PDB file of all heavy atoms in Angstrom:
ATOM      1  N   HIS A 422      95.411  54.199   1.659  1.00 97.00           N
ATOM      2  CA  HIS A 422      96.536  54.200   0.697  1.00 97.00           C
ATOM      3  C   HIS A 422      97.756  54.858   1.309  1.00 97.00           C
ATOM      4  O   HIS A 422      98.881  54.319   1.319  1.00 97.00           O
ATOM      5  CB  HIS A 422      96.105  54.913  -0.573  1.00 97.00           C
ATOM      6  CG  HIS A 422      97.149  54.903  -1.644  1.00 97.00           C
ATOM      7  ND1 HIS A 422      97.238  53.946  -2.599  1.00 97.00           N
ATOM      8  CD2 HIS A 422      98.162  55.809  -1.878  1.00 97.00           C
ATOM      9  CE1 HIS A 422      98.284  54.210  -3.438  1.00 97.00           C
ATOM     10  NE2 HIS A 422      98.820  55.329  -3.008  1.00 97.00           N
ATOM     11  N   HIS A 423      97.564  56.048   1.859  1.00 95.00           N
ATOM     12  CA  HIS A 423      98.693  56.848   2.320  1.00 95.00           C
ATOM     13  C   HIS A 423      99.274  56.265   3.634  1.00 95.00           C
ATOM     14  O   HIS A 423     100.513  56.316   3.794  1.00 95.00           O
ATOM     15  CB  HIS A 423      98.279  58.304   2.545  1.00 95.00           C
ATOM     16  CG  HIS A 423      98.299  59.072   1.235  1.00 95.00           C
ATOM     17  ND1 HIS A 423      99.372  59.879   0.862  1.00 95.00           N
ATOM     18  CD2 HIS A 423      97.360  59.196   0.285  1.00 95.00           C
ATOM     19  CE1 HIS A 423      99.075  60.418  -0.285  1.00 95.00           C
ATOM     20  NE2 HIS A 423      97.882  60.037  -0.684  1.00 95.00           N
ATOM     21  N   VAL A 424      98.477  55.740   4.513  1.00 94.00           N
ATOM     22  CA  VAL A 424      99.028  55.201   5.747  1.00 94.00           C
ATOM     23  C   VAL A 424      99.770  53.883   5.448  1.00 94.00           C
ATOM     24  O   VAL A 424     100.749  53.551   6.125  1.00 94.00           O
ATOM     25  CB  VAL A 424      97.893  54.971   6.828  1.00 94.00           C
ATOM     26  CG1 VAL A 424      97.026  53.773   6.501  1.00 94.00           C
ATOM     27  CG2 VAL A 424      98.528  54.822   8.201  1.00 94.00           C
ATOM     28  N   HIS A 425      99.389  53.165   4.411  1.00 96.00           N
ATOM     29  CA  HIS A 425     100.078  51.905   4.031  1.00 96.00           C
ATOM     30  C   HIS A 425     101.348  52.162   3.358  1.00 96.00           C
ATOM     31  O   HIS A 425     102.377  51.524   3.684  1.00 96.00           O
ATOM     32  CB  HIS A 425      99.112  51.072   3.144  1.00 96.00           C
ATOM     33  CG  HIS A 425      99.703  49.731   2.763  1.00 96.00           C
ATOM     34  ND1 HIS A 425      99.601  48.641   3.607  1.00 96.00           N
ATOM     35  CD2 HIS A 425     100.398  49.350   1.687  1.00 96.00           C
ATOM     36  CE1 HIS A 425     100.209  47.610   2.992  1.00 96.00           C
ATOM     37  NE2 HIS A 425     100.712  48.038   1.841  1.00 96.00           N
ATOM     38  N   PHE A 426     101.373  53.086   2.396  1.00 96.00           N
ATOM     39  CA  PHE A 426     102.546  53.304   1.572  1.00 96.00           C
ATOM     40  C   PHE A 426     103.486  54.448   2.081  1.00 96.00           C
ATOM     41  O   PHE A 426     104.635  54.483   1.657  1.00 96.00           O
ATOM     42  CB  PHE A 426     102.152  53.598   0.117  1.00 96.00           C
ATOM     43  CG  PHE A 426     101.601  52.424  -0.598  1.00 96.00           C
ATOM     44  CD1 PHE A 426     100.260  52.373  -0.982  1.00 96.00           C
ATOM     45  CD2 PHE A 426     102.393  51.336  -0.914  1.00 96.00           C
ATOM     46  CE1 PHE A 426      99.729  51.290  -1.626  1.00 96.00           C
ATOM     47  CE2 PHE A 426     101.870  50.192  -1.572  1.00 96.00           C
ATOM     48  CZ  PHE A 426     100.528  50.169  -1.904  1.00 96.00           C
ATOM     49  N   GLY A 427     102.978  55.312   2.995  1.00 94.00           N
ATOM     50  CA  GLY A 427     103.804  56.326   3.488  1.00 94.00           C
ATOM     51  C   GLY A 427     104.361  57.279   2.468  1.00 94.00           C
ATOM     52  O   GLY A 427     103.615  57.715   1.564  1.00 94.00           O
ATOM     53  N   ALA A 428     105.666  57.550   2.549  1.00 92.00           N
ATOM     54  CA  ALA A 428     106.294  58.452   1.622  1.00 92.00           C
ATOM     55  C   ALA A 428     106.260  57.996   0.181  1.00 92.00           C
ATOM     56  O   ALA A 428     106.434  58.808  -0.753  1.00 92.00           O
ATOM     57  CB  ALA A 428     107.755  58.667   2.052  1.00 92.00           C
ATOM     58  N   ASP A 429     106.026  56.703  -0.028  1.00 96.00           N
ATOM     59  CA  ASP A 429     105.986  56.183  -1.430  1.00 96.00           C
ATOM     60  C   ASP A 429     104.559  56.165  -1.971  1.00 96.00           C
ATOM     61  O   ASP A 429     104.337  55.618  -3.052  1.00 96.00           O
ATOM     62  CB  ASP A 429     106.513  54.748  -1.428  1.00 96.00           C
ATOM     63  CG  ASP A 429     108.004  54.692  -1.112  1.00 96.00           C
ATOM     64  OD1 ASP A 429     108.691  55.661  -1.423  1.00 96.00           O
ATOM     65  OD2 ASP A 429     108.405  53.656  -0.547  1.00 96.00           O
ATOM     66  N   ALA A 430     103.624  56.785  -1.288  1.00 95.00           N
ATOM     67  CA  ALA A 430     102.228  56.711  -1.700  1.00 95.00           C
ATOM     68  C   ALA A 430     102.013  57.218  -3.123  1.00 95.00           C
ATOM     69  O   ALA A 430     101.139  56.735  -3.849  1.00 95.00           O
ATOM     70  CB  ALA A 430     101.342  57.539  -0.738  1.00 95.00           C
ATOM     71  N   TRP A 431     102.793  58.230  -3.557  1.00 94.00           N
ATOM     72  CA  TRP A 431     102.581  58.796  -4.894  1.00 94.00           C
ATOM     73  C   TRP A 431     103.080  57.857  -5.988  1.00 94.00           C
ATOM     74  O   TRP A 431     102.840  58.112  -7.184  1.00 94.00           O
ATOM     75  CB  TRP A 431     103.340  60.150  -4.941  1.00 94.00           C
ATOM     76  CG  TRP A 431     102.945  61.044  -3.811  1.00 94.00           C
ATOM     77  CD1 TRP A 431     103.592  61.289  -2.685  1.00 94.00           C
ATOM     78  CD2 TRP A 431     101.734  61.786  -3.712  1.00 94.00           C
ATOM     79  NE1 TRP A 431     102.932  62.158  -1.875  1.00 94.00           N
ATOM     80  CE2 TRP A 431     101.752  62.468  -2.480  1.00 94.00           C
ATOM     81  CE3 TRP A 431     100.604  61.964  -4.557  1.00 94.00           C
ATOM     82  CZ2 TRP A 431     100.675  63.243  -2.041  1.00 94.00           C
ATOM     83  CZ3 TRP A 431      99.520  62.752  -4.097  1.00 94.00           C
ATOM     84  CH2 TRP A 431      99.602  63.420  -2.883  1.00 94.00           C
ATOM     85  N   GLU A 432     103.740  56.806  -5.628  1.00 96.00           N
ATOM     86  CA  GLU A 432     104.295  55.859  -6.605  1.00 96.00           C
ATOM     87  C   GLU A 432     103.379  54.640  -6.788  1.00 96.00           C
ATOM     88  O   GLU A 432     103.662  53.742  -7.581  1.00 96.00           O
ATOM     89  CB  GLU A 432     105.687  55.385  -6.186  1.00 96.00           C
ATOM     90  CG  GLU A 432     106.682  56.462  -5.805  1.00 96.00           C
ATOM     91  CD  GLU A 432     106.895  57.408  -6.942  1.00 96.00           C
ATOM     92  OE1 GLU A 432     107.015  56.914  -8.100  1.00 96.00           O
ATOM     93  OE2 GLU A 432     107.039  58.605  -6.688  1.00 96.00           O
ATOM     94  N   HIS A 433     102.231  54.572  -6.047  1.00 97.00           N
ATOM     95  CA  HIS A 433     101.443  53.364  -6.062  1.00 97.00           C
ATOM     96  C   HIS A 433      99.952  53.654  -6.323  1.00 97.00           C
ATOM     97  O   HIS A 433      99.509  54.790  -6.266  1.00 97.00           O
ATOM     98  CB  HIS A 433     101.560  52.684  -4.689  1.00 97.00           C
ATOM     99  CG  HIS A 433     102.919  52.101  -4.437  1.00 97.00           C
ATOM    100  ND1 HIS A 433     103.327  50.924  -4.984  1.00 97.00           N
ATOM    101  CD2 HIS A 433     103.962  52.555  -3.688  1.00 97.00           C
ATOM    102  CE1 HIS A 433     104.566  50.682  -4.588  1.00 97.00           C
ATOM    103  NE2 HIS A 433     104.962  51.642  -3.772  1.00 97.00           N
ATOM    104  N   SER A 434      99.268  52.563  -6.596  1.00 97.00           N
ATOM    105  CA  SER A 434      97.819  52.625  -6.808  1.00 97.00           C
ATOM    106  C   SER A 434      97.162  51.601  -5.892  1.00 97.00           C
ATOM    107  O   SER A 434      97.785  50.640  -5.389  1.00 97.00           O
ATOM    108  CB  SER A 434      97.480  52.273  -8.259  1.00 97.00           C
ATOM    109  OG  SER A 434      97.945  50.993  -8.610  1.00 97.00           O
ATOM    110  N   SER A 435      95.857  51.835  -5.594  1.00 98.00           N
ATOM    111  CA  SER A 435      95.156  50.888  -4.739  1.00 98.00           C
ATOM    112  C   SER A 435      93.665  50.944  -4.996  1.00 98.00           C
ATOM    113  O   SER A 435      93.156  51.871  -5.591  1.00 98.00           O
ATOM    114  CB  SER A 435      95.421  51.174  -3.246  1.00 98.00           C
ATOM    115  OG  SER A 435      94.906  52.432  -2.868  1.00 98.00           O
ATOM    116  N   VAL A 436      92.965  49.881  -4.586  1.00 98.00           N
ATOM    117  CA  VAL A 436      91.520  49.809  -4.611  1.00 98.00           C
ATOM    118  C   VAL A 436      91.032  49.437  -3.201  1.00 98.00           C
ATOM    119  O   VAL A 436      91.635  48.560  -2.556  1.00 98.00           O
ATOM    120  CB  VAL A 436      91.064  48.761  -5.650  1.00 98.00           C
ATOM    121  CG1 VAL A 436      89.537  48.499  -5.500  1.00 98.00           C
ATOM    122  CG2 VAL A 436      91.399  49.194  -7.036  1.00 98.00           C
ATOM    123  N   SER A 437      90.008  50.137  -2.690  1.00 97.00           N
ATOM    124  CA  SER A 437      89.513  49.867  -1.367  1.00 97.00           C
ATOM    125  C   SER A 437      88.022  49.500  -1.450  1.00 97.00           C
ATOM    126  O   SER A 437      87.255  50.196  -2.160  1.00 97.00           O
ATOM    127  CB  SER A 437      89.658  51.090  -0.474  1.00 97.00           C
ATOM    128  OG  SER A 437      91.021  51.354  -0.187  1.00 97.00           O
ATOM    129  N   ALA A 438      87.610  48.512  -0.680  1.00 96.00           N
ATOM    130  CA  ALA A 438      86.184  48.173  -0.564  1.00 96.00           C
ATOM    131  C   ALA A 438      85.816  48.345   0.899  1.00 96.00           C
ATOM    132  O   ALA A 438      86.475  47.729   1.802  1.00 96.00           O
ATOM    133  CB  ALA A 438      85.941  46.699  -0.999  1.00 96.00           C
TER     134      ALA A 438
END
Side-chain angles (χ1 to χ4, degrees):
H422 183 93
H423 279 265
V424 74
H425 182 85
F426 290 112
D429 294 330
W431 307 102
E432 309 301 321
H433 292 282
S434 59
S435 65
V436 170
S437 295

